[in-house]
Amino acid sequence: MSGTSEGPAPVTDLDRPVVTESEFATSPRTESPSSPSSSPPPPLSSLSYRAAFAAAPLAMAVVDREGTVVSANGSLAALLGGDPDALTGAVAADLVDLSSDARIRHAYREVLCGRQAELRCTRRLKHPEGHMLWVRVTVTPLPTDDEGVLLSVADVSARRELQARLRHSQMHDPVTRLPNRTLFFERLTAALEPESYERNGTGRIGLCHLDLDGFKAINDTLGHHVGDRLLAAVAERLTRCAQEAGRARTGPPLVARLGGDEFALLVEDSTGTEQLADLAESVLEAIQAPFDLSGQRLSVSASIGVVERHAAGTTPTALMQAADTTLYWAKADGKARWTLFDPERNAHRVTRQALASTLRPAIERGEFALEYQPLVGMEDDRVHGVEALVRWNHPRFGTLTPNRFIGLAEEDGSIVPLGRWVLRTACRQARRWQEEHPDGPPIFVSVNVAVRQVWDSDLVADVAETLEDTDLAPHLLQLELTESAVMGSSGRPLQALKALSDMGVRIAIDDFGTGYSNLAYLSRLPVSVLKLDGSFVRGFQYEERAAAPPNPADEVIVEAMVQLAHRLGLTVTAECVETSAQATRLRRIGCDTGQGWLYSRPVSPDRISELLGTPGVQAGAGNP
């Protein structure tokens, strides 16, 4: 019998290390005080001790202070597969593998020298007949110091086998028989330990996080028993893919079921993204092939998030978060595909989440401000109005334009308090300009309104209260809604628009020409202004480029929309006017108002006051 460092069989490779805190115990050498009330036991003869030693069912041996077996009983010989006499004179540490582990070897020497009272440990031995044996070894000093120590060995193989079976059951999914989420994270954590990836290999790790597309529909329509059979069949194909991928390597990727219809393939010591991409491609191809489940033919697809990176500095949580995010991207991009983790895209997602979580508090903290862009009359070059544009002065990300946060505000409902603040601030500023320039015609202020503001708040009441508080005339307020939001409006939104129009507030359709363009419905809406989308105006730039001829279709389309609007009694504002040539053409076809960098970028209220003090707005006069 000898100790072995041979690795455990596949079923038991999930066992903890051979020696653990609960399996290896030592005690300092202490004397047990005898109770003064107890009487000493009757003396036993040396022959009685020897007889008990020889007949004891527990395998034992007497070992001298040098570690040599003085005598061994038959139970020890039977356990180790030898003869008792043959064990006499053997090195006890070699019999039960007490020398291969430095910690156990040191503790054993301490017991032999009398400096330690006991040693207990569990060792894995190889029997002469070839099978493996788990034993519990205990070493304790004999009553007389010069007699040495008593070595006892108990066979715990059955208990260890039961523990291994129980652990296997706890760590594996009963439906697919794959490692479950607990075992997956155990392996992932071990793979990311520095001593694991620094010892050998590439120092990199890869993960394919997989989710079946439409699996819930199969469960709901065909039943969970069919769904379970499908999961088991998917597991078999994933296992084959992993085995194929592992043929050229030391071992295949770990395939695990994380729960539901989610699976993972863990690649330790990956060689790069190309290896993970090849694995993801093979998995997609394998799963897309139809499944025949007891005569029932099913076809499914999968979405896969792929992450590959250096193991150093990576944690299991960070790796799984990246895998979850990338799987979501694969789903959002159309399913039935794999997507590689993109740090830049993830940074944008993290920024978006950070903005969403701080939007409402930012309104309360006063982190928002308004800038204003002039709306200039085409005939007189005078500022007739301004559009209020909100900016977020974020303490971390700097000044943010509306396209960075308005969508988030509409999603979580914070657009309602934000829109109410914009409305009040803009109306208050418009009234202030009116007081600062009493001799000139007052300018109107245009404020963007989201549909959710109509549904989730009483917009009519908010506008009426704001106009009363700021003493601003209703016709000096213009509310802008996008074409897609206005067209097809019914019920409460339409009622709100009519009430606002009856109040004297001007209603403008923003980005006209890019949405539904239901012209018949347009005539029934309480709208007074159309704002042509900038994409039409940009086409006019071709006239100024020698290499590109003008596009007459642009002018024809714009002219037709202007004429239609005028027939309906509406005025037209052209967005994105950047050159004097564009302004000239727009003026020629009858456009009423222009907005764009030709006149001014969005500027502070003070800059608007300066523009109002001039007789006309010159090209570029408002640029900072």
Side-chain angles (χ1 to χ4, degrees):
M1 177 67 67
S2 63
T4 177
S5 59
E6 175 183 324
V11 175
T12 59
D13 65 356
L14 308 179
D15 284 306
R16 291 169 291 180
V18 170
V19 182
T20 66
E21 292 298 329
S22 61
E23 295 172 333
F24 169 50
T26 60
S27 303
R29 182 72 181 272
T30 57
E31 300 292 337
S32 295
S34 58
S35 174
S37 61
S38 60
S39 56
L44 294 176
S45 66
S46 177
L47 289 175
S48 299
Y49 277 117
R50 290 193 182 93
F53 175 80
L58 178 62
M60 295 184 290
V62 175
V63 180
D64 63 21
R65 295 294 181 182
E66 300 301 321
T68 303
V69 176
V70 176
S71 62
N73 66 1
S75 296
L76 180 63
L79 178 65
L80 301 183
D83 183 82
D85 294 336
L87 297 178
T88 303
V91 178
D94 294 342
L95 295 177
V96 289
D97 190 28
L98 298 182
S99 300
S100 60
D101 184 279
R103 192 162 63 113
I104 292 178
R105 181 172 62 250
H106 173 73
Y108 175 57
R109 296 306 306 175
E110 291 294 291
V111 176
L112 290 179
C113 296
R115 291 189 292 268
Q116 191 167 293
E118 186 180 54
L119 165 66
R120 294 192 310 274
C121 62
T122 301
R123 309 304 291 155
R124 190 167 184 257
L125 310 177
K126 187 172 183 179
H127 196 274
E129 295 180 359
H131 61 272
M132 304 307 298
L133 194 68
W134 286 97
V135 295
R136 182 78 168 182
V137 179
T138 304
V139 183
T140 55
L142 289 170
T144 307
D145 289 344
D146 57 2
E147 287 187 86
V149 299
L150 179 66
L151 173 73
S152 58
V153 185
D155 186 357
V156 295
S157 300
R159 188 180 71 182
R160 294 286 298 208
E161 184 178 352
L162 176 61
Q163 290 175 342
R165 286 201 299 267
L166 290 175
R167 176 172 166 77
H168 186 275
S169 176
Q170 293 170 350
M171 296 292 184
H172 286 74
D173 172 52
V175 175
T176 62
R177 299 184 181 181
L178 291 176
N180 60 16
R181 190 180 191 90
T182 303
L183 178 54
F184 171 79
F185 272 95
E186 186 176 287
R187 282 282 299 272
L188 176 59
T189 302
L192 292 176
E193 292 291 336
E195 56 268 23
S196 175
Y197 60 76
E198 289 177 355
R199 183 170 57 251
N200 47 40
T202 63
R204 303 185 67 86
I205 193 163
L207 177 64
C208 291
H209 188 194
L210 177 147
D211 179 272
L212 298 181
D213 301 324
F215 177 75
K216 184 178 184 300
I218 294 176
N219 258 350
D220 293 344
T221 57
L222 302 179
H224 287 268
H225 62 290
V226 176
D228 286 349
R229 291 206 300 270
L230 177 60
L231 291 174
V234 168
E236 290 179 4
R237 294 189 183 182
L238 293 179
T239 301
R240 285 200 298 269
C241 289
Q243 291 171 346
E244 288 289 335
R247 284 185 178 178
R249 298 170 54 82
T250 56
L254 171 71
V255 183
R257 182 189 177 196
L258 302 185
D261 60 335
E262 292 185 37
F263 297 84
L265 292 88
L266 177 64
V267 180
E268 301 178 44
D269 296 327
S270 67
T271 57
T273 56
E274 185 176 353
Q275 179 193 3
L276 270 295
D278 290 342
L279 178 60
E281 287 283 1
S282 66
V283 168
L284 283 181
E285 183 179 354
I287 291 180
Q288 285 175 350
F291 291 85
D292 188 357
L293 305 177
S294 302
Q296 193 164 22
R297 194 175 179 85
L298 294 177
S299 294
V300 295
S301 62
S303 299
I304 306 175
V306 178
V307 183
E308 201 281 337
R309 59 178 55 170
H310 285 288
T314 300
T315 65
T317 301
L319 191 67
M320 286 308 300
Q321 284 178 342
D324 285 339
T325 299
T326 313
L327 175 58
Y328 170 79
W329 293 342
K331 291 280 191 184
D333 291 344
K335 302 180 180 179
R337 69 191 62 216
W338 65 269
T339 301
L340 183 66
F341 180 76
D342 181 358
E344 184 175 344
R345 185 176 180 181
N346 185 62
H348 177 74
R349 177 188 67 88
V350 172
T351 301
R352 179 180 171 86
Q353 290 176 340
L355 294 178
S357 63
T358 57
L359 229 171
R360 286 183 180 272
I363 300 173
E364 300 172 0
R365 290 194 297 264
E367 294 179 2
F368 291 91
L370 292 184
E371 291 184 345
Y372 302 87
Q373 188 169 29
L375 299 166
V376 180
M378 286 291 186
E379 293 297 331
D380 57 10
D381 278 342
R382 185 179 60 81
V383 177
H384 289 200
V386 293
E387 179 180 356
L389 299 170
V390 64
R391 303 287 187 259
W392 185 356
N393 297 317
H394 197 281
R396 176 181 173 190
F397 301 114
T399 301
L400 304 178
T401 52
N403 64 310
R404 296 288 301 277
F405 58 85
I406 289 298
L408 297 174
E410 291 178 344
E411 289 176 9
D412 69 0
S414 58
I415 190 66
V416 173
L418 178 58
R420 188 177 292 122
W421 176 86
V422 170
L423 176 66
R424 291 182 177 276
T425 304
C427 288
R428 192 178 299 114
Q429 182 60 57
R431 179 58 181 160
R432 188 175 298 120
W433 283 323
Q434 188 176 357
E435 294 172 349
E436 292 175 354
H437 304 276
D439 297 333
I443 66 170
F444 68 88
V445 63
S446 189
V447 176
N448 291 278
V449 176
V451 174
R452 187 160 184 176
Q453 290 177 254
V454 182
W455 282 107
D456 293 2
S457 67
D458 192 341
L459 180 63
V460 177
D462 286 344
V463 170
E465 182 181 351
T466 299
L467 293 176
E468 182 179 358
D469 291 345
T470 59
D471 196 24
L472 184 69
H475 72 278
L476 296 180
L477 173 63
Q478 175 174 290
L479 299 180
E480 295 187 21
L481 291 90
T482 61
E483 178 183 351
S484 58
V486 174
M487 293 300 185
S489 294
S490 61
R492 184 173 180 179
L494 182 57
Q495 293 171 6
L497 293 180
K498 288 181 177 179
L500 290 167
S501 180
D502 293 341
M503 191 186 301
V505 175
R506 303 200 295 186
I507 307 298
I509 297 181
D510 195 14
D511 301 329
F512 185 77
T514 61
Y516 296 102
S517 297
N518 188 337
L519 301 180
Y521 191 75
L522 178 63
S523 64
R524 297 191 291 271
L525 288 174
V527 175
S528 55
V529 181
L530 294 185
K531 297 189 71 176
L532 298 182
D533 185 72
S535 59
F536 296 106
V537 180
R538 291 192 188 99
F540 290 8
Q541 292 180 351
Y542 294 131
E543 187 178 89
E544 299 181 349
R545 299 178 182 176
N551 185 358
D554 294 323
E555 186 168 342
V556 171
I557 293 173
V558 172
E559 184 175 5
M561 288 192 290
V562 170
Q563 291 177 356
L564 174 64
H566 287 169
R567 290 285 184 91
L568 295 175
L570 310 178
T571 61
V572 179
T573 298
E575 299 178 308
C576 300
V577 182
E578 298 179 359
T579 67
S580 57
Q582 288 174 319
T584 299
R585 295 179 67 186
L586 289 167
R587 185 182 303 111
R588 184 171 64 241
I589 62 180
C591 190
D592 302 289
T593 310
Q595 178 182 1
W597 287 6
L598 172 66
Y599 309 109
S600 174
R601 296 172 184 262
V603 293
S604 66
D606 293 341
R607 183 64 179 129
I608 296 295
S609 295
E610 295 177 12
L611 294 177
L612 294 178
T614 60
V617 178
Q618 301 301 317
N623 289 351

